[in-house]
Amino acid sequence: TVSEEKINVLLISGDAGWDFQYLRNFLLRQPELYRISVWQQNADEALNQAASSGMKLARLPRTLAQLVGVGGEPDKPGYDVVILHDPRPTQGGFDGEFAALLKAFVVEHGGGVCYVAGNKHTDGALCGNATFAPLADLLPVVLTPNTLDISQRISGRTPQAWPVEPTAYGLDHPVVRL
C-alpha cells in the first residue's frame, strides 16, 4: 500500500552515540516524510527531547492508546513504528510493561518495531531477561549473551561472533530471503 501520509516514528535510545544522532537527525531533516518523537534515556530531564511539531513527549507512552494514537487528541498522536536504539533496561519507562505494550502494538495493531542492537544494553535487555521476553519474542533472531565481560571488551579481546540464525518464521520472510 502506498500512502501519502507521514510516518510517525518513536525513537528511543539508551545514549547519544554518533549512530543514534545520525538516525535522529536524518529523520528530523525530512519533515515531509516523518513525524518523530525522540526519547533519549540518558538525557538530563531538564533537556528538551527532540520532536517534530505536535510530537513532543514528556515521558514514554504507558498505554496502548498513547502508542497507537487517538484521532484528535494531541497527547496521543500515535506511531507507525518504534525504533529502539540499544535502549537501557528499566530506565525512563523502558521496562517490562513497555515491552508488553510493544508486543500488543505489533501483534494487535500491526505497528512496526525496529531494534538496533548495541554493545552497552542489549545483553541486559534481551539475553535471558524474562522481563523483556515479550520484546525478544518479536525479533526474528534469538540472541545469546556476549561471551566477554566489560573488562575484556575494554582490553580489546576479540569477542566470540554471534551466529545469525533466523527463526522458522524469519526463514520464510521476504526480507531474510536476500
Side-chain angles (χ1 to χ4, degrees):
T1 303
V2 177
S3 174
E4 295 294 325
E5 293 184 28
K6 296 177 183 180
I7 299 170
N8 289 353
V9 178
L10 172 57
L11 175 60
I12 302 168
S13 181
D15 65 19
W18 69 267
D19 44 349
F20 159 72
Q21 291 179 37
Y22 180 87
L23 179 58
R24 178 197 60 204
N25 293 340
F26 174 82
L27 294 169
L28 285 169
R29 287 184 187 138
Q30 299 187 61
E32 67 282 357
L33 298 176
Y34 305 104
R35 294 181 69 223
I36 181 171
S37 299
V38 177
W39 190 258
Q40 182 184 328
Q41 292 175 291
N42 70 343
D44 188 303
E45 290 184 18
L47 178 72
N48 291 331
Q49 302 284 0
S52 302
S53 178
M55 299 290 284
K56 185 159 176 82
L57 291 175
R59 59 181 279 177
L60 284 179
R62 299 311 290 172
T63 66
L64 197 54
Q66 290 173 327
L67 197 55
V68 174
V70 177
E73 293 192 33
D75 64 331
K76 299 176 184 168
Y79 300 96
D80 300 305
V81 66
V82 177
I83 301 173
L84 301 167
H85 182 273
D86 197 19
R88 185 177 299 181
T90 67
Q91 182 174 358
F94 184 72
D95 53 17
E97 185 180 327
F98 188 74
L101 187 65
L102 284 176
K103 187 165 186 173
F105 172 67
V106 172
V107 174
E108 298 171 19
H109 295 279
V113 170
C114 174
Y115 194 100
V116 180
N119 62 359
K120 292 182 182 174
H121 309 296
T122 297
D123 278 356
L126 295 180
C127 295
N129 187 339
T131 303
F132 293 96
L135 175 59
D137 291 345
L138 294 175
L139 302 178
V141 295
V142 177
L143 300 177
T144 58
N146 197 329
T147 57
L148 297 179
D149 66 24
I150 191 68
S151 64
Q152 292 171 323
R153 289 186 215 180
I154 291 171
S155 68
R157 285 197 45 202
T158 306
Q160 177 183 353
W162 282 359
V164 176
E165 297 177 16
T167 62
Y169 173 77
L171 286 172
D172 283 342
H173 198 278
V175 172
V176 181
R177 288 186 194 159
L178 293 175

